[in-house]
Amino acid sequence: EGKVLLTIGTPGVAGNPPEALTEPTCIVVARNGEILISEGHSGQYDTAGPQTVARISKFTKDGKFIKSFGKWGSGPTEFRTPHDMAIDSQGRLLVADRGNMRIQILDQDGVFISEWKQFSRPSGVCLRNGMIYVADSESNGLPFATHPGWKRGIRVGRLKDGQVIYRIPDPTEVKGTSGAEGLAVDAKRNLYGGEVGQRQ
């Protein structure tokens, strides 16, 4: 009904948990009700560096701060814009680490498990019935997002091994951000993409 039940962070104020968040990009809720929030939308830019926020912060279901993990960089559990997240049936956290052009697979305490680079430059990630859907809206469309040999679109693969089966192409391939950044899949496997550049 639109009633505010919980607020995490201070509106209009960037900072560190528990008082504040910095550029939150995604929220996922674990089976136990814990809330994980990815932070840091500026990590992919040329001006980014070690001082840039790039982390995941974890809270109880009541909004009490538990911990943060991750930092700016390109190593395990380091991020350059953790843009989206999803939790699979095993409880693994899949992070769309956009500036590093990979999906990072972590446990819910931030321990590195693996990484997948076959989905190019992920803006969005969605899981459904053993499949992984990854939106790439930026590859080779922006000066800081060059990824030679890769095309934008939505890549669909198997979650068990990360094998990409096919790609739904970006409908326009214009410069800048164009195709879907956010995405969802319904029970009939209809795919929905939120196109930021086209504003539709």
Side-chain angles (χ1 to χ4, degrees):
E1 301 298 325
K3 180 182 177 182
V4 176
L5 303 176
L6 177 65
T7 300
I8 296 175
T10 304
V13 177
N16 298 317
E19 291 80 18
L21 299 170
T22 299
E23 298 178 333
T25 55
C26 178
I27 301 170
V28 292
V29 180
R31 282 186 182 173
N32 64 2
E34 289 180 345
I35 301 164
L36 292 97
I37 303 174
S38 55
E39 297 179 73
H41 195 263
S42 300
Q44 65 189 14
Y45 302 121
D46 293 337
T47 55
Q51 78 290 347
T52 304
V53 171
R55 66 184 170 220
I56 295 170
S57 294
K58 190 173 177 181
F59 299 82
T60 68
K61 62 182 179 181
D62 301 318
K64 293 185 176 68
F65 178 64
I66 300 172
K67 64 182 287 188
S68 292
F69 56 84
K71 62 180 181 178
W72 185 87
S74 300
T77 317
E78 296 179 351
F79 310 104
R80 293 183 63 222
T81 302
H83 200 266
D84 198 14
M85 300 182 291
I87 297 175
D88 71 8
S89 61
Q90 299 174 55
R92 301 181 306 174
L93 183 65
L94 286 84
V95 182
D97 186 6
R98 184 162 77 180
N100 283 319
M101 292 176 270
R102 63 184 176 180
I103 299 285
Q104 275 202 75
I105 304 171
L106 312 171
D107 74 11
Q108 291 179 32
D109 287 313
V111 176
F112 179 84
I113 297 171
S114 186
E115 67 177 9
W116 289 342
K117 295 191 173 185
Q118 62 269 33
F119 291 95
S120 192
R121 188 177 177 84
S123 287
V125 59
C126 181
L127 311 177
R128 186 86 185 199
N129 297 332
M131 303 295 285
I132 179 171
Y133 302 80
V134 180
D136 173 4
S137 63
E138 290 188 352
S139 282
N140 299 317
L142 296 162
F144 56 81
T146 55
H147 201 191
W150 292 82
K151 292 187 176 182
R152 289 173 291 186
I154 298 172
R155 289 175 175 81
V156 181
R158 293 193 303 251
L159 184 57
K160 68 178 182 180
D161 58 11
Q163 182 177 347
V164 177
I165 299 169
Y166 55 90
R167 177 181 68 97
I168 302 168
D170 184 322
T172 56
E173 292 288 353
V174 298
K175 291 296 180 184
T177 296
S178 56
E181 269 202 20
L183 71 166
V185 182
D186 69 17
K188 296 181 179 179
R189 294 180 63 187
N190 295 309
L191 183 60
Y192 302 83
E195 296 187 351
V196 173
Q198 311 299 66
R199 296 172 177 81
Q200 61 187 3

